[in-house]
Amino acid sequence: MNHIFVLISFLGMIVGLVSGAVIMSRDNGARINRIFFVFALSVGSYCLFDMLTLLSNNDHIAKIFSELSLFFWLALITVIVPFCLEFASRKTKLISLGFFVYLYLLMAVVYLDYLYDLIYQAPYLTQWGYISMPGPYFWVLIVYSLLMIIWGLGLLILSAKQSASLRIKKQAGLLIWGIGVSTLIGLVDVIAPLFNSGLPSFTSLATITYMMYFSVAIIRYGALTPTPALLANDILDTMPGFLLFVDQFKKIKLVNKSFLEEFQYVKKEIIGQDCGLVCLDKIEHGAFHKELEEKGSVSKKKIVLNRKDGSLLPVRMDGAVVKDRAGEKIGEIYIFLDLKKEEELLQSQKKTIDELTRIKGRMLSLLEDTTQARDEAKRKSEELAKAVDDLKVVDRLKTQFLSVISHELRTPLTPIKGFSSMLMAGQLGQLTEKQVKAIESIKREGEHLQQLIDSILDVSWIERGHKMEIKKEPVAFSSLIKDLVANMEPQFMAEELSVEVDLQADLNTLVADRSRLYRLCSNIIGNAIKYSPRGGKIMVIARNTKDGIELRVIDNGIGIEKQYLEKIFDKFFQINNSYARTSGGVGLGLAISKTIVEAHGGSIRAESDGLGWGTAIVVNLPVGN
């Protein structure tokens, strides 16, 4: 017979019974300890009867022990829920009142299984001993067990999330892992019968695993309900200072964690030793004990202690005589505070004060410099304000000058244009072909000068704070573009440019100032002509948008670098290139165009991929009202 599973069950019995006894010995008045005791007792009993089943010498005895192990399995899997409820600080009164009634119900289930083999069939002898195979309702046991496990896990997870106690969070984490690992081991009992493996139950191993996790949770983080002694140890180990307790024979009986760490001892090296072990001055040590005997307590004594490695530690010591309830002295307790840290703190504070004093001096000096700088800044500001006023005067004079000079230029320009037209029409006699070309040049330059004067007057008007006046009327934008392109045909031919006009068939009608829009489009197309190479191509595209029209004028000229895409709409801005220098202009066309567009509530922008890739001027105009 193979006794491996017998040994596992035996270990499970020992672990269960010992764990329950230990917990109850800690505090048998705590409700959670009593619930766990029932759980541990059920685990031990289950493992006991599982072991006896394996060791049975006949079928009938094996059947009885098998049913008893089933009963205690149902008990332990059921107790998981009230235990987890109590651990999660949930009310368990209803469950506790009905628990014994529930146990009677479990007895009934076990008795029915004994009679009819509903959950387990009658045990049969194998190389492992007597084992039971699943019966027709074995799945009910599996479902019930899983439900109890899932319920318990949910309560533990809830407790870990909601509890403010770090100890409870860590204990809950270990218990969750324990249930999870134990469940995975227990699933072998579900899977193994499917393959007719003939293996005994792995449940004993699963319960041992859970109890081991629970034991680790107690050993590492304390009992479920901490006792006063445990709390006292925790307090001693976390108190700031070094604690030493000696008995009436001056032998060390108790030290805290801070003392051991600071003086470089382990507990077994110092417990039972004479307290003079850590005192540097033996005479001072004796005088201190004498004073303590006389007064019962002393405080704020400065002494020097000796570490294990021989290094010295200055401390401030408080001491008191400890007596039992009968008033008899049982020892003395000392609490030491590290003066080195206090001295370091005082030095640090002194350095801080010195540094603050230096900073104060620097701040006063800086404040004086700041005052001087403020006075200088005030003087500079006054000078700057005066310079700005002077610039405003100059700017106003410039605007007035431009306005006057533009009007003065218009006066001789009118007869020049008029007589040029009369000469071209032959009203003053027939002209030779050479004379016609000269007159055409005069007329063209006169028109260019007229546009320049109009632009200067517009800029002067706007700079004086006047808004551009807009006369609103229905404008067939498609017709406007066609007329403009036709009128500019001589300019296209002069530069040998091809023009492609692409207008949407049902282009929207705008409510706008026709003369202003005509000038806008003339400026943009004229700009494209100026920056296109001879023999180039210009595209004029207009499309409807959601609330108006989008106009695109695209050329294949020199293009614009990205840093200039917005600057080209500034007054008097021109890109420094050969086309601009040879084609004239002062950089007002696009500035005027932007003013016209914005006066209509639209927008204008430039698009270009850089030098050599041409430029597109995009205008969006609303329908208007």
Side-chain angles (χ1 to χ4, degrees), residues 93-329:
K93 186 175 181 181
L94 181 63
I95 292 180
S96 63
L97 288 174
F99 184 68
F100 289 103
V101 177
Y102 194 73
L103 285 179
Y104 285 118
L105 179 61
L106 295 181
M107 290 179 184
V109 171
V110 172
Y111 182 69
L112 289 174
D113 185 64
Y114 176 76
L115 294 176
Y116 302 108
D117 295 337
L118 300 174
I119 298 175
Y120 283 106
Q121 297 176 4
Y124 66 96
L125 188 62
T126 68
Q127 62 170 330
W128 312 99
Y130 278 95
I131 64 173
S132 300
M133 293 299 290
Y137 291 96
F138 179 70
W139 62 271
V140 176
L141 176 65
I142 299 301
V143 171
Y144 176 77
S145 300
L146 287 176
L147 286 175
M148 294 297 104
I149 290 170
I150 292 170
W151 191 355
L153 276 174
L155 291 169
L156 289 174
I157 292 171
L158 188 65
S159 176
K161 286 185 176 180
Q162 294 183 349
S163 177
S165 169
L166 182 62
R167 183 179 69 87
I168 290 178
K169 287 179 180 290
K170 291 185 175 181
Q171 279 188 332
L174 282 171
L175 295 178
I176 289 167
W177 271 102
I179 291 178
V181 175
S182 302
T183 302
L184 290 176
I185 295 173
L187 287 176
V188 176
D189 283 4
V190 181
I191 299 171
L194 300 177
F195 299 95
N196 297 318
S197 63
L199 290 173
S201 173
F202 277 75
T203 308
S204 295
L205 180 60
T207 55
I208 292 175
T209 302
Y210 176 73
M211 295 303 294
M212 289 173 65
Y213 270 94
F214 184 83
S215 299
V216 172
I218 294 175
I219 292 170
R220 290 189 63 181
Y221 306 115
L224 296 174
T225 304
T227 61
L230 286 173
L231 290 174
N233 284 331
D234 290 341
I235 293 170
L236 290 178
D237 284 339
T238 55
M239 67 179 293
F242 318 130
L243 181 137
L244 188 70
F245 176 76
V246 300
D247 62 13
Q248 63 270 39
F249 305 109
K250 305 298 185 291
K251 300 297 182 183
I252 298 172
K253 293 298 181 183
L254 178 67
V255 292
N256 67 348
K257 186 177 180 181
S258 299
F259 185 95
L260 295 173
E261 290 176 350
E262 180 63 34
F263 289 86
Q264 304 166 5
Y265 285 101
V266 295
K267 188 174 289 188
K268 65 180 181 180
E269 291 177 331
I270 197 166
I271 297 298
Q273 298 294 322
D274 188 274
C275 62
L277 176 69
V278 294
C279 291
L280 179 65
D281 190 331
K282 305 303 179 184
I283 297 175
E284 184 182 39
H285 177 237
F288 174 77
H289 279 294
K290 184 178 179 181
E291 183 180 357
L292 189 60
E293 289 282 355
E294 294 173 353
K295 296 181 178 179
S297 65
V298 293
S299 62
K300 299 182 180 179
K301 285 283 186 179
K302 292 185 178 181
I303 64 171
V304 178
L305 298 182
N306 197 21
R307 294 189 182 93
K308 182 181 177 181
D309 61 2
S311 59
L312 304 180
L313 178 67
V315 297
R316 189 185 72 197
M317 180 172 65
D318 296 314
V321 173
V322 180
K323 298 180 180 180
D324 61 14
R325 294 181 182 180
E328 183 180 356
K329 178 182 175 180

Side-chain angles (χ1 to χ4, degrees), residues 403-461:
S403 178
V404 171
I405 198 67
S406 298
H407 282 290
E408 292 299 325
L409 288 172
R410 267 187 170 182
T411 302
L413 186 61
T414 302
I416 291 173
K417 290 174 63 180
F419 283 116
S420 297
S421 297
M422 291 175 64
L423 288 169
M424 289 288 295
Q427 296 178 8
L428 300 179
Q430 293 297 322
L431 302 174
T432 65
E433 183 178 348
K434 188 174 182 180
Q435 290 172 332
V436 169
K437 287 183 178 180
I439 297 299
E440 285 178 349
S441 178
I442 293 171
K443 184 179 179 183
R444 185 167 58 253
E445 293 303 322
E447 290 174 349
H448 178 70
L449 183 59
Q450 179 71 52
Q451 290 179 357
L452 181 60
I453 292 169
D454 290 341
S455 295
I456 292 173
L457 287 174
D458 283 339
V459 170
S460 300
W461 181 261

Side-chain angles (χ1 to χ4, degrees), residues 63-80:
K63 177 68 173 175
I64 294 173
F65 287 147
S66 175
E67 296 302 335
L68 287 172
S69 67
L70 173 61
F71 170 75
F72 283 106
W73 169 256
L74 290 171
L76 73 89
I77 202 69
T78 303
V79 176
I80 285 178

Side-chain angles (χ1 to χ4, degrees), residues 466-523:
H466 298 290
K467 288 182 66 176
M468 180 175 284
E469 295 181 359
I470 300 297
K471 297 177 182 179
K472 294 187 177 181
E473 59 180 332
V475 177
F477 197 72
S478 178
S479 175
L480 183 147
I481 294 296
K482 291 177 181 178
D483 292 345
L484 176 61
V485 171
N487 292 337
M488 298 183 76
E489 184 66 27
Q491 297 180 48
F492 297 136
M493 294 178 64
E495 297 296 330
E496 299 179 4
L497 298 172
S498 63
V499 181
E500 180 181 332
V501 180
D502 183 3
L503 307 176
Q504 187 171 325
D506 56 345
L507 205 59
N508 288 331
T509 297
L510 304 179
V511 178
D513 190 321
R514 191 180 193 282
S515 63
R516 298 288 189 187
L517 293 187
Y518 189 91
R519 188 172 177 194
L520 162 70
C521 299
S522 174
N523 284 347

Side-chain angles (χ1 to χ4, degrees), residues 370-424:
T370 303
T371 303
Q372 294 176 355
R374 182 194 62 191
D375 295 340
E376 181 66 17
K378 183 178 179 181
R379 187 180 63 80
K380 293 288 186 183
S381 178
E382 291 173 352
E383 293 178 357
L384 183 61
K386 185 177 181 302
V388 169
D389 291 338
D390 293 343
L391 285 174
K392 287 181 179 178
V393 172
V394 172
D395 188 63
R396 186 165 57 252
L397 292 173
K398 177 208 71 175
T399 302
Q400 292 174 355
F401 170 76
L402 289 175
S403 178
V404 171
I405 198 67
S406 298
H407 282 290
E408 292 299 325
L409 288 172
R410 267 187 170 182
T411 302
L413 186 61
T414 302
I416 291 173
K417 290 174 63 180
F419 283 116
S420 297
S421 297
M422 291 175 64
L423 288 169
M424 289 288 295

